[in-house]
Amino acid sequence: MMSFTISMIRRVFAAEITMILCVCVAASCAAQTQATAAGFGPGNPFYRASTLPFQAPPFDKIKDSDYQPAIDAGMAQQLKEVDAIANDPAPPTFENTVVALERTGQLLDRAYEAFNCVTAANLDPELEKAQAYEAPRLAAEADAIHLNARLFARIKTIHDKRASLHLDPESLRLVEYDYQQFVKAGANLSDADKEKLKKLNQEDATLENDFMSKLQAATEAGAYLTTDASSLAGLGQSQLEAAAEAAKAHKDQGWRLPLQNTTQQPDLAELTNRATRQAIFLNSWNRAERGDANDTRSTIARIAQLRAEKGALLGYPNYAAWNLTDQMAKTPEAAIQFMDALVPASTANAASEAKDIQALIDAQHGGFTLKPWDWEFYSEQVRKAKYDLNESEEKPYFELNNVLQNGVFYAAHELYGLTFKERHDIPVWQPDVRVFEVYDADGKPLSLWYCDYFKRDNKNGGAWMDVLVNQSKLLKQLPVVYNVANFEKPAPGQPALLTFDDVTTMFHEFGHALHGMFADTEYPSLSGTQVPRDFVEFPSQFNEHWATYPAVLAHYAHNYKTGEPMPAGLVEKIKKSQTFDEGYSLTEILAAAELDMQWHVLPQSAPLQNPDTFEVDALKKKNLWIEYLPPRYRSSYFLHIWNQGYQAGYYAYLWSEMLDDNAFQWFEDHGGMTRANGDRFRQMILSRGNTEDLQKMYDAWLGATPNIEPMLKFRGLKGN
Ligand SMILES: [Zn+2]
């Protein structure tokens, strides 16, 4: 039922765009929906379930103008279906309430999944308009269901007596899941408290938007401007041209280097002029703390306070405790304990990397102490000296189709017995998109998989996986999943040559795809990748490990012209460069994640915080206040947590990493890439979606509780 809130799964840190779920609680939106459902009829391609194989969307028949009426009609239909369940005169049963809910919203899902795909991967002005129109309506739909008191009363009745219903484990999990989602949304509150919650949500939403607009303006204003070419020494020709273009677009003289959203700026790796590096870094660091109209500090202090109130209203000691109830970690304490354990090894390694850099500065007679704006510049030199790896050397070994067939598909064949056949008869949303039918080891069709790999102007940045059809035995649906990326499109007739980073992205997204394809659950709400944020990146990051697994790498890394395998020296360089500078990169993420959590464990009784002192104190308390190593995001420009729904959730990236590294270590300890290992992993993890308590599911598979050791090992941080 709630699959229209499926969040897009994006490659960690690659994409900074997250689907924004508005918290607008507008009953009028839902009412309007019913009115606009008119005009939807059999002529609309979403009117009936698709008759294509796997119920694939008929993209050849769908026009831009078909989405909005279908989504509106789908929402109206789902509300009607939900009302019928809520007002059923029969006493509530598992079948007539919980299962019935799972059957609602099928038209909405059908239309929304396709809409979601094209708006992210192939946007145009008409779709953009429809997207702006539908976003608040979809949020209101979710609220209308979650705050339906009659419906909740039925679910609560079933939940209260669930132990006596003799349900199978998946059904029992569904009852608990539904109950938890309703309670989390406030269904258990008195009417007066529901009103309070609504007000808190509205103020939070308004301030989140304020934060976003201030930050956008602040980031734009933080661009580095110069008319002095010598200050940009070190940048390549194409970077200079882009900077000149950016200046022109803003009617500025000279060159303009726009700010990226992270603290560190990529150009710092190349700029030889130290004063320029310092100026750019400080522009970034202070972007939202200038005391002007774009200063975000008072906004974030108030958001943190509102969230603390919300946590208390919903019955928890703080916001994080409420927000983590449906995550694998379950409590902020578990997440904090995990992060704290990483700090010593992480910072010790960063300190040793800093020593190497200082030695290089001294050897070059720099005459200064390492500062944050020097890090990228000198670590790039250390990296070149140690590994001397450049793109033109590696790319000929990573031709896209070869990587796909002999790398990504090959690993899935060796581990799970899958085979793939390209289909040219399934309609796609854009001519570059390819479709494969996926067959199980016994030859049975398992899934359809689409890939849309090449960069386009009308595509979101980064890479992601999502579904067009969600697997469910109840609804008799097999999974239809897709991967999107932004690889350089070659000129016509030329091969698409990838960097190793691109190759890793392919394996990563395909890991999500496998999680979707192997889904084998009864209920759509618990299927496939619909798992908590701190679990969802585990199968994808796990799949990345196979990219450098010797038997896999040897199978795909061949020169596209000569067919020669990659020389051993180059393989070694690629592997070593993967663990370069990991002390720094883990520490900057940890610092951001700890900051996030500390903002969200503030109790309701805490006074309005001063973000300056709060941030310094928070980092000092965790031994993460390090002069040369700033957090990846400072509180005042931490978009993930103030606007994009990652609040009290930034730790999830690292948590998932712990899971995937423990998993890969298990494979290594049990004979590596074998069908037996793959099948066991599929059966106990990849096919199970959210049908069990995730900690129990994971521990049962591993035969232990995961710990941080494999993570330190694969990041190359052991022994410090
Ligand atoms: Zn991912």
Side-chain angles (χ1 to χ4, degrees), residues 9-12 508-509 512 537 540:
I9 297 155
R10 301 181 184 273
R11 173 146 161 67
V12 183
H508 178 101
E509 298 308 333
H512 285 307
E537 294 298 326
S540 52

Side-chain angles (χ1 to χ4, degrees), residues 64-99:
D64 279 357
S65 57
D66 290 325
Y67 290 107
Q68 196 169 304
I71 291 172
D72 287 346
M75 285 194 283
Q77 191 183 87
Q78 187 177 33
L79 280 186
K80 243 182 175 168
E81 292 162 347
V82 167
D83 276 344
I85 297 167
N87 298 316
D88 188 344
T93 65
F94 176 69
E95 278 295 328
N96 76 14
T97 302
V98 177
V99 177

Side-chain angles (χ1 to χ4, degrees), residues 388-459:
D388 185 32
L389 186 67
N390 64 56
E391 285 187 2
S392 56
E393 200 181 350
E394 65 180 26
K395 276 173 131 181
Y397 296 93
F398 301 135
E399 187 273 316
L400 188 147
N401 199 48
N402 182 43
V403 174
L404 180 65
Q405 303 274 354
N406 294 314
V408 174
F409 287 172
Y410 173 73
H413 179 263
E414 295 301 295
L415 284 162
Y416 313 111
L418 301 186
T419 51
F420 302 83
K421 199 173 120 200
E422 186 154 12
R423 291 192 66 152
H424 300 279
D425 58 331
I426 307 283
V428 294
W429 56 90
Q430 205 276 341
D432 285 345
V433 180
R434 297 167 71 183
V435 187
F436 293 82
E437 184 162 354
V438 186
Y439 297 91
D440 222 330
D442 60 7
K444 273 197 196 136
L446 178 72
S447 166
L448 277 186
W449 176 74
Y450 300 56
C451 56
D452 181 1
Y453 279 143
F454 295 125
K455 195 196 281 288
R456 279 193 299 277
D457 286 344
N458 64 345
K459 193 191 259 192

Side-chain angles (χ1 to χ4, degrees), residues 589-632:
I589 295 168
L590 264 178
E594 294 264 27
L595 262 184
D596 163 36
M597 200 53 93
Q598 290 196 62
W599 277 110
H600 292 103
V601 294
L602 285 169
Q604 186 187 21
S605 58
L608 191 72
Q609 299 296 306
N610 171 341
D612 299 339
T613 51
F614 179 88
E615 181 167 278
V616 175
D617 292 348
L619 292 172
K620 278 188 175 160
K621 199 163 87 186
K622 299 293 178 181
N623 297 319
L624 288 165
W625 179 253
I626 304 167
E627 226 222 317
Y628 54 79
L629 208 171
R632 189 173 168 87

Side-chain angles (χ1 to χ4, degrees), residues 124-409:
D124 63 38
E126 187 170 358
L127 291 171
E128 203 170 358
K129 245 169 90 185
Q131 193 178 29
Y133 172 86
E134 296 297 1
R137 282 165 178 78
L138 288 158
E141 172 96 354
D143 286 334
I145 296 172
H146 280 137
L147 296 177
N148 183 323
R150 281 168 170 269
L151 180 62
F152 178 63
R154 294 178 74 90
I155 290 174
K156 188 171 185 313
T157 303
I158 298 161
H159 182 260
D160 289 350
K161 60 175 185 192
R162 64 194 185 283
S164 62
L165 295 177
H166 308 293
L167 297 170
D168 64 88
E170 188 182 333
S171 299
L172 183 62
R173 173 79 170 175
L174 183 63
V175 171
E176 286 168 353
Y177 172 84
D178 275 359
Y179 181 75
Q180 187 178 48
Q181 295 304 308
F182 276 80
V183 170
K184 205 178 172 196
N188 241 345
L189 298 178
S190 68
D191 284 348
D193 282 349
K194 274 184 192 160
E195 276 309 305
K196 269 190 211 161
L197 178 65
K198 213 190 242 184
K199 286 214 177 81
L200 286 175
N201 282 341
Q202 276 165 349
E203 191 181 348
D204 187 3
T206 305
L207 288 176
E208 287 193 28
N209 279 334
D210 286 355
F211 172 83
M212 182 73 171
S213 353
K214 285 181 177 181
L215 182 59
Q216 273 168 348
T219 304
E220 200 171 322
Y224 178 77
L225 278 172
T226 184
T227 50
D228 171 14
S230 70
S231 69
L232 299 179
L235 292 187
Q237 196 52 40
S238 66
Q239 285 160 295
L240 287 171
E241 278 165 18
E245 275 303 309
K248 216 187 273 170
H250 280 81
K251 301 195 168 50
D252 292 324
Q253 299 292 311
W255 296 269
R256 180 186 177 95
L257 300 178
L259 282 183
Q260 310 263 347
N261 58 357
T262 48
T263 298
Q264 287 290 5
Q265 302 295 310
D267 290 332
L268 299 187
E270 280 135 23
L271 287 161
T272 56
N273 185 323
R274 189 165 188 245
T276 308
R277 292 202 305 267
Q278 178 174 4
I280 291 175
F281 179 85
L282 292 176
N283 279 6
S284 171
W285 185 244
N286 296 318
R287 70 180 81 173
E289 305 196 1
R290 297 190 180 283
D292 57 12
N294 301 330
D295 194 312
T296 61
R297 283 173 291 182
S298 61
T299 312
I300 64 173
R302 179 64 186 146
I303 295 176
Q305 201 176 37
L306 283 171
R307 290 179 180 169
E309 281 176 41
K310 182 171 168 175
L313 182 65
L314 287 153
Y316 291 87
N318 52 60
Y319 181 90
W322 166 77
N323 202 28
L324 265 64
T325 49
D326 59 359
Q327 299 294 299
M328 180 173 169
K330 291 194 183 79
T331 64
E333 289 72 29
I336 290 168
Q337 194 183 25
F338 158 70
M339 290 190 283
D340 288 355
L342 290 168
V343 172
S346 183
T347 51
N349 277 272
S352 117
E353 291 158 14
K355 236 165 109 186
D356 285 354
I357 290 177
Q358 188 65 54
L360 185 64
I361 293 171
D362 296 345
Q364 295 176 5
H365 307 292
F368 55 83
T369 307
L370 167 67
K371 297 282 182 191
W373 46 89
D374 300 315
W375 190 286
E376 305 275 316
F377 183 70
Y378 289 96
S379 82
E380 180 61 12
Q381 291 182 38
V382 175
R383 193 184 68 83
K384 276 195 179 133
K386 274 192 172 168
Y387 309 115
D388 185 32
L389 186 67
N390 64 56
E391 285 187 2
S392 56
E393 200 181 350
E394 65 180 26
K395 276 173 131 181
Y397 296 93
F398 301 135
E399 187 273 316
L400 188 147
N401 199 48
N402 182 43
V403 174
L404 180 65
Q405 303 274 354
N406 294 314
V408 174
F409 287 172

